[in-house]
Amino acid sequence: DTAVSQTPKYLVTQMGNDKSIKCEQNLGHDTMYWYKQDSKKFLKIMFSYNNKELIINETVPNRFSPKSPDKAHLNLHINSLELGDSAVYFCASSQDSGGRGAKNIQYFGAGTRLSVL
Amino acid sequence: AQSVTQLDSQVPVFEEAPVELRCNYSSSVSVYLFWYVQYPNQGLQLLLKYLSGSTLVKGINGFEAEFNKSQTSFHLRKPSVHISDTAEYFCAVRVGLNTGFQKLVFGTGTRLLVSP
């Protein structure tokens, strides 16, 4: 069973469209994340939710809106897609997001490759 | 701000040769350091981590890394690489936020290219 799963794996769409990426984890973790990996492979955090509450919101355009219906799911909706949104988006989860030790180790999904034409 | 530097964007090496991928971090507080590997068209997989204790940490696939506080480094090593080790390797540091939560800050990655 895949621990952190994302759908779809590939997403090709036109500029101006609205699209969603879904993420689910079956690890029983409390914290989930969205990362963006650009064409140069640079990875940067976008959002993080802990127990369905937003705890990290980096400098991301308002067109990106995460939603966490429950602890096991964190979806990413993108409005009015632009060429610069083309990237690989990774979902991750960890047991929690504070304190010390192994509970904050993050486990990643396989990624969603978004291509905006 | 805490950051991670991976000076080598690409490291070519022959099969069965040893390899070292360099990682330096900047931090004024306790650090938690990680190496992740990304095989072509796949997600990130945790290779190893340093949280506390012994400065030499062993990970999967025969990799190990040494935490050196005085040099602020966490270099990744393998004594003998295989073709299958060809991948992108990311060093990351866990950063504490004012909110009490934490996030990972990644280096720019090092592409390991193993040839026969």
Side-chain angles (χ1 to χ4, degrees):
Chain A
D1 283 345
T2 304
V4 182
S5 58
Q6 299 177 227
T7 53
K9 192 172 173 65
Y10 299 98
L11 185 53
V12 182
T13 188
Q14 300 285 335
M15 264 175 46
N17 284 351
D18 303 337
K19 290 293 177 186
S20 291
I21 307 172
K22 296 187 176 183
C23 179
E24 176 182 3
Q25 53 95 2
N26 62 7
L27 297 167
H29 288 170
D30 286 346
T31 308
M32 296 184 72
Y33 312 79
W34 277 112
Y35 287 84
K36 179 179 180 181
Q37 185 178 46
D38 62 23
S39 58
K40 295 185 178 177
K41 301 278 188 179
F42 183 59
L43 263 166
K44 192 171 188 302
I45 190 167
M46 300 171 69
F47 302 103
S48 178
Y49 271 72
N50 185 63
N51 275 320
K52 302 192 298 176
E53 288 191 23
L54 182 67
I55 58 171
I56 296 175
N57 186 351
E58 297 286 290
T59 310
V60 179
N62 290 338
R63 298 182 294 102
F64 289 78
S65 53
K67 282 193 172 50
S68 181
D70 55 59
K71 272 190 345 178
H73 296 84
L74 180 61
N75 304 322
L76 183 65
H77 188 75
I78 315 170
N79 289 325
S80 303
L81 278 155
E82 300 177 358
L83 293 176
D85 297 332
S86 295
V88 182
Y89 292 85
F90 286 101
C91 178
S93 74
S94 63
Q95 191 169 344
D96 63 36
S97 183
R100 304 160 69 97
K103 289 186 178 181
N104 302 329
I105 294 172
Q106 295 183 26
Y107 297 88
F108 285 76
T112 295
R113 184 175 294 277
L114 172 64
S115 298
V116 182
L117 307 178
Chain B
Q2 291 168 316
S3 66
V4 176
T5 303
Q6 292 180 249
L7 287 172
D8 306 306
S9 60
Q10 189 167 291
V11 173
V13 65
F14 288 109
E15 196 175 16
E16 297 183 7
V19 71
E20 178 179 85
L21 305 184
R22 297 180 293 168
C23 173
N24 288 87
Y25 66 91
S26 66
S27 173
S28 58
V29 295
S30 299
V31 290
Y32 305 99
L33 294 156
F34 306 82
W35 275 99
Y36 282 86
V37 60
Q38 184 179 23
Y39 297 105
N41 298 313
Q42 293 188 29
L44 277 79
Q45 183 179 359
L46 181 66
L47 259 184
L48 48 79
K49 61 190 180 293
Y50 172 77
L51 302 177
S52 65
S54 172
T55 56
L56 182 63
V57 292
K58 294 190 184 298
I60 60 171
N61 301 338
F63 283 93
E64 63 180 33
E66 184 153 22
F67 170 59
N68 188 320
K69 190 173 181 179
S70 62
Q71 297 187 4
T72 60
S73 67
F74 190 55
H75 300 332
L76 181 70
R77 300 186 185 101
K78 186 169 182 177
S80 175
V81 295
H82 301 290
I83 297 281
S84 59
D85 291 324
T86 293
E88 195 87 23
Y89 291 79
F90 293 93
C91 184
V93 62
R94 186 188 294 166
V95 173
L97 303 172
N98 293 336
T99 55
F101 295 110
Q102 301 177 6
K103 67 176 184 178
L104 278 181
V105 174
F106 284 87
T108 48
T110 297
R111 185 166 198 74
L112 177 63
L113 286 168
V114 183
S115 51

